[in-house]
């Protein structure tokens, strides 16, 4: 068990902290407020904060990082001049393992291919007191839920699905590496005090419905930006009826509605999970302060009075859903899928069914999906689609193997891939993907943006529960509704699949031989970290230049992005993951997935110096070489999706000064600010239409840059005509200092130098 004394200390101060919060807020408290107010940097609250307005400093209890983001986070931390991390922190190697031939071969390949990166992460972790989870140990959020998450705790992680730990009653938030660096350096972490969305769950799941369907439905209601700036708190009888890992699934995909995080009050399902995962002592102490680990009774009795928005879902009548294609909020209940697919021309034949990802790779998930697979074997059915599985952790895998679950899948010709992200992050060597054929896949992951899993823009990916993935993979048909439809077996008989069954937790308990954990050195001062100057995968960071004190003038429009522009469009994953530790190399993928408004093409923009059309990074490197600044323009919810700060560091590195959009996703906006960029929004969204392809742009008002005062943007069009528009921003005093210093890290550096 890890960090019991830290958990006890958090619990020990909760009484006093919550009493102080109660006094200033002066009404009953939600769970979210209890957790936030008991983690204030100032200690006991002295004033009530205004939701959606006040910036507040917090002291999170721990930090989690995955390998693809940890490289940048730790390259920054190395410059902070601290001997050891200030709070318990961990690194998890899960993103860099390609799924191809199955776990044993794939893991060996990755260990070789990414050796340099793993050695770097291992030695940095060892030096600075960070727990290190080796490749194959599992997916960060499953490993965190199994080992580190605790009710009432607060955590940040360099991955947007850090929110998964809400399943164990935490406030767990995804951030960029620079934020993690601050917290590991012992500095406070700042967040705009969130709004609160309440989701009341009534009834009990039954039949084919699963926890995944709760969040697929919520995503349909709130859309990809409906949760922005808010924490979602689930409650009600229905919540108590869900397993702990099921709650994790729901919180996990809260990232897909843009929510800051989601959480559930402490209950018996969490207690069972803590005990089953070797943390009985955490459950025992949590039991002593139970009343602090859920909202006050008045809140749930009269939620309208305490939440900014309220949603109610009846689990008794919830239908299984499939969300997609290309966006996780396009929710279709299974009963309507045949109709919708025909109407929209979605290919019905399903080529692959994939179970895994941090969202749905628990023991319960594998157990319920295997109950469907088992029926297929017994009823003489074969899978029509190909079938792949990534268990969430070595503990889950080992236990599922012992209990015969994996054997059932392999009898159906499934491939068991490594305990890692794999296809979910485009680390999937899918045969034939390069042909770019139109095809459908179903998976239990959370994201389904174009090209995400296999790089093929014509793969129609649908997100659903593991048990539905199994049923649909067996039928090979997107429209197959296991509630009503039958399938024809080898003997030509019509057979029907019974609803899934499964174990919330393994009846014989969890087991594992080697969980893949490496503890750091007690005293790491003697450990050296080497980064070869010749490396193509790792590069030490050079400080960005501070602001020169003048308004920005003569910026060229680099690209006006049209429509959805997620972090996958700005800094693609898959094959580019290998450069996550090398800023200059990864910058060659900057915005190559974004659609150019003026020609509807990707990675094809006008070079204003030559009039030629070229790839985005190429054009930008020419501007940089000539000392010309540039600006990126975007649409709604720009930077949706991942926490990867590369999407902010690449433009910074290549000389883009500002990003001007209709609206931002939270993490990306903060990442831009942290790296010393200008993150601006159109005061009037219609002004997006005024931006022309050959525009030269000035940003005025920077010499008096201050909170709540809009900046002025002057557009000079090709014909010499000029237009002035207003741009809003959300910078506070501190964040303006980041801009002036050329990035937040320069401020930490300066304080070390003193
Ligand atoms: C993702 O799911 O997109 C990732 C890969 O886990 C990212 C982090 C990254 O880009 O490394 C995330 O969600 O934050
Ligand atoms: Fe890994 Fe996918 Fe989860 Fe991101 S969403 S952490 S890539 S499994």
């Amino acid at each position: 068990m890890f960090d019991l004394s830290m958990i006890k200390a958090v619990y020990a101060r909760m009484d006093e902290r919550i009493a102080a919060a109660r006094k200033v807020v002066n009404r009953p408290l939600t769970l979210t407020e209890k957790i936030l107010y008991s983690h204030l940097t100032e200690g006991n609250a002295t004033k009530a904060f205004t939701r959606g307005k006040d910036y507040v400093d917090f002291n999170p209890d721990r930090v989690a990082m995955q390998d693809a983001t940890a490289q940048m986070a730790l390259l920054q931390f190395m410059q902070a001049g601290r001997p050891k991390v200030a709070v318990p922190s961990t690194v998890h190697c899960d993103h860099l393992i390609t799924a191809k031939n199955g776990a044993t071969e794939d893991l060996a390949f990755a260990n070789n291919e990414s050796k340099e990166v793993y050695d770097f992460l291992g030695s940095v972790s060892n030096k600075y007191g960070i727990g290190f989870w080796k490749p194959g140990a599992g997916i960060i959020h499953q490993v965190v839920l199994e080992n580190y998450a605790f009710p009432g705790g607060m955590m940040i992680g360099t991955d947007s699905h850090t929110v998964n730990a809400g399943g164990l009653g935490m406030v767990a938030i995804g951030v960029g590496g620079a934020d993690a660096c601050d917290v590991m350096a012992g500095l406070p972490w700042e967040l705009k005090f969130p709004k609160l969305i309440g989701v009341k769950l009534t009834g009990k799941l039954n039949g084919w419905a699963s926890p995944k369907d709760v969040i697929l439905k919520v995503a349909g209601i709130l859309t990809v930006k409906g949760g922005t700036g808010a924490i979602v708190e689930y409650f009600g009888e229905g919540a108590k009826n869900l397993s702990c890992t099921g709650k994790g699934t729901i919180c996990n995909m809260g990232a897909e509605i843009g929510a800051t995080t989601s959480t559930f009050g402490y209950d018996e399902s969490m207690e069972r999970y803590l005990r089953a995962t070797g943390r009985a002592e955490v459950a025992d102490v949590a039991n002593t302060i139970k009343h602090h680990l859920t909202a006050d009774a008045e809140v749930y009795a009269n939620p309208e009075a305490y939440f900014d928005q309220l949603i109610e879902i009846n689990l008794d009548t919830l239908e299984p859903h499939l969300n997609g294609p290309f966006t996780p909020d396009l929710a279709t209940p299974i009963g309507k899928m045949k109709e919708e697919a025909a109407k929209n021309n979605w290919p019905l034949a399903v080529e692959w069914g994939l179970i895994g990802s941090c969202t749905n790779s628990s023991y319960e998930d594998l157990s319920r999906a295997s109950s469907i697979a088992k029926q297929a074997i017994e009823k003489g059915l074969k899978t029509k689609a190909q079938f792949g599985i990534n268990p969430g952790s070595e503990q889950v895998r080992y236990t599922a193997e012992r209990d015969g679950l994996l054997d059932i899948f392999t009898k159906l010709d499934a491939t068991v891939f490594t305990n890692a992200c794999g296809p979910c992050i485009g680390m999937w060597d899918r045969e034939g993907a390069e042909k770019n054929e139109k095809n459908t896949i179903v998976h239990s992951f959370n994201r389904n943006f174009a090209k995400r899993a296999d790089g093929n823009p014509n793969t129609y990916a649908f997100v659903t529960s593991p048990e539905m993935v199994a049923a649909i993979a067996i039928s090979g048909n997107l429209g197959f509704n296991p509630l009503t439809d039958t399938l024809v077996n080898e003997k030509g008989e019509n057979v029907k699949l019974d609803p899934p069954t499964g174990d919330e937790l393994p009846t014989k308990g969890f087991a594992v031989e080697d969980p893949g954990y490496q503890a750091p050195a007690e005293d790491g001062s003697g450990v050296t970290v080497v980064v070869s100057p010749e490396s193509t995968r790792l590069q030490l960071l050079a400080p960005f230049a501070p602001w020169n004190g003048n308004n920005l003038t003569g910026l060229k429009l680099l690209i006006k992005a049209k429509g959805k522009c997620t972090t996958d469009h700005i800094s693609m994953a898959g094959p580019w993951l290998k450069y996550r530790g090398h800023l200059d190399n990864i910058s060659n993928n900057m915005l190559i997935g974004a659609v150019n408004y003026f020609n509807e093409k990707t990675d094809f923009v006008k070079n204003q110096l030559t009039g030629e059309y070229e790839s985005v990074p190429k054009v930008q490197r020419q501007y940089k070489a000539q000392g010309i600044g540039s600006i990126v323009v975007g649409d709604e919810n720009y930077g949706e999706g991942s926490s990867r700060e590369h999407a902010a560091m690449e433009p910074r590195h290549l000389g883009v000064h500002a990003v001007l959009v209709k609206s931002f996703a939270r993490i990306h906006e903060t990442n831009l600010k942290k790296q010393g960029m200008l993150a601006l929004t159109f005061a009037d969204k219609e002004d997006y239409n005024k931006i022309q392809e050959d525009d030269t742009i000035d940003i005025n008002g920077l010499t008096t840059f201050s909170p709540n005062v809009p900046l002025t943007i002057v557009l000079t069009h090709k014909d010499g005509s000029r237009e002035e528009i207003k741009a809003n921003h959300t910078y506070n005093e501190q964040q303006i200092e980041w801009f002036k210093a050329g990035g937040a890290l320069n401020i930490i550096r300066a304080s070390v130098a003193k």
Side-chain angles (χ1 to χ4, degrees), residues 103-308:
T104 316
E105 261 180 71
D106 295 351
L107 181 59
F109 185 84
N111 271 323
N112 183 34
E113 186 189 36
S114 292
K115 183 171 187 310
E116 182 186 3
V117 170
Y118 295 145
D119 287 350
F120 168 74
L121 292 174
S123 60
V124 179
S125 299
N126 198 20
K127 183 170 181 65
Y128 296 107
I130 300 169
F132 182 67
W133 291 79
K134 293 182 240 176
I139 306 174
I140 173 169
H141 311 302
Q142 281 295 324
V143 175
V144 165
L145 198 72
E146 282 173 13
N147 295 282
Y148 298 110
F150 64 98
M154 183 175 192
M155 168 171 96
I156 60 164
T158 59
D159 188 282
S160 62
H161 293 105
T162 302
V163 295
N164 189 72
L168 244 178
M170 280 197 120
V171 162
I173 302 178
V175 299
D179 284 30
C181 175
D182 286 357
V183 174
M184 291 188 294
L187 300 173
W189 177 69
E190 180 192 72
L191 178 74
K192 191 183 269 181
F193 205 83
K195 298 215 172 224
L196 296 184
I197 299 176
V199 180
K200 179 173 182 178
L201 302 177
T202 59
K204 195 167 183 199
L205 291 171
N206 59 77
W208 284 84
S210 74
K212 185 66 162 272
D213 300 302
V214 174
I215 186 62
L216 294 179
K217 184 164 175 89
V218 169
I221 297 169
L222 286 175
T223 79
V224 288
K225 43 187 297 233
T228 308
I231 293 188
V232 185
E233 185 168 323
Y234 290 86
F235 62 95
E237 265 321 293
K240 295 198 180 128
N241 290 332
L242 297 168
S243 67
C244 176
T245 51
K247 290 180 172 90
T249 297
I250 294 172
C251 293
N252 180 295
M253 254 195 92
E256 275 54 63
I257 56 169
T260 302
T261 190
S262 311
T263 194
F264 282 84
Y266 180 60
D267 65 12
E268 284 167 18
S269 74
M270 296 185 193
E271 179 173 356
R272 286 194 297 275
Y273 187 74
L274 284 170
R275 293 189 190 285
T277 49
R279 290 171 291 170
E281 282 155 284
V282 178
D284 292 340
V285 266
N287 285 343
T288 63
I289 54 152
K290 256 186 188 161
H291 55 294
H292 289 329
L293 302 176
T294 188
D296 292 337
E298 295 89 329
V299 171
Y300 294 157
N302 186 15
E304 298 79 7
Y306 301 93
F307 292 99
D308 300 291

Side-chain angles (χ1 to χ4, degrees), residues 66 94-95 139-141 158-162 252 256 356-361 390 420-426 445-447 452 573 577 642 644:
Q66 42 90 341
D94 55 359
H95 276 63
I139 306 174
I140 173 169
H141 311 302
T158 59
D159 188 282
S160 62
H161 293 105
T162 302
N252 180 295
E256 275 54 63
S357 93
C358 55
T359 326
N360 274 120
S361 55
N390 287 85
C421 304
C424 179
I425 191 52
F445 312 161
N446 41 41
R447 292 195 175 136
R452 176 153 170 117
L577 283 178
S642 155
R644 60 190 77 145

Side-chain angles (χ1 to χ4, degrees), residues 319-505:
E319 244 192 294
H321 281 65
L322 287 145
N323 285 21
F326 306 119
T327 184
D329 58 352
L330 184 57
T332 306
I334 184 64
K336 295 230 166 64
M337 191 38 114
K338 285 189 195 92
E339 203 184 307
E340 285 300 310
K343 202 163 80 196
N344 296 294
N345 233 336
W346 298 336
L348 277 176
V350 174
E351 311 278 334
W352 269 91
L354 296 159
I355 292 175
S357 93
C358 55
T359 326
N360 274 120
S361 55
S362 66
Y363 184 87
E364 183 180 39
D365 288 330
L366 295 187
S367 140
R368 286 174 63 87
S370 72
S371 80
I372 303 301
K374 185 154 175 267
Q375 287 181 55
I377 298 166
E378 287 163 0
K379 294 177 182 178
L381 294 163
K382 284 244 149 57
T383 35
K384 294 242 173 65
Q386 297 191 68
F387 205 176
I389 300 181
N390 287 85
S393 70
E394 176 57 12
Q395 173 159 276
V396 163
R397 189 207 64 77
Y398 188 94
T399 313
E401 177 164 68
R402 178 200 65 192
D403 295 349
L405 308 184
L406 297 185
D407 195 42
I408 298 173
F409 290 121
T410 38
K411 281 207 177 97
L412 269 190
D413 282 338
T415 310
V416 180
F417 297 121
T418 320
N419 314 315
C421 304
C424 179
I425 191 52
M427 294 299 275
W428 185 21
D429 194 343
R430 180 181 179 191
E431 215 182 297
E434 69 289 348
K435 290 188 227 150
N436 282 0
E437 283 164 351
K438 185 166 169 178
N439 78 101
T440 291
I441 63 173
V442 291
H443 60 57
S444 74
F445 312 161
N446 41 41
R447 292 195 175 136
N448 54 356
F449 306 138
K451 296 196 194 174
R452 176 153 170 117
D454 62 359
N456 172 1
N458 301 315
T459 291
Y460 286 57
F462 293 84
V463 178
T464 189
S465 68
E467 42 270 54
M468 285 294 292
V469 170
I472 290 180
I474 291 161
S475 74
N477 183 338
L478 182 66
F480 173 67
N481 181 355
L483 284 78
T484 53
D485 300 349
T486 54
L487 295 167
V488 181
N489 72 4
E490 288 162 334
K491 294 192 207 135
E493 301 156 345
N494 278 325
V495 294
K496 198 159 178 286
L497 295 171
D498 301 321
T501 54
D503 295 323
E504 169 189 294
L505 295 162

Side-chain angles (χ1 to χ4, degrees), residues 701-718:
L702 291 173
T703 47
T704 51
F705 195 9
S706 36
N708 305 316
V709 181
L711 298 171
T712 304
I713 310 260
V714 183
L715 310 173
T716 306
H717 302 306
K718 196 180 181 184

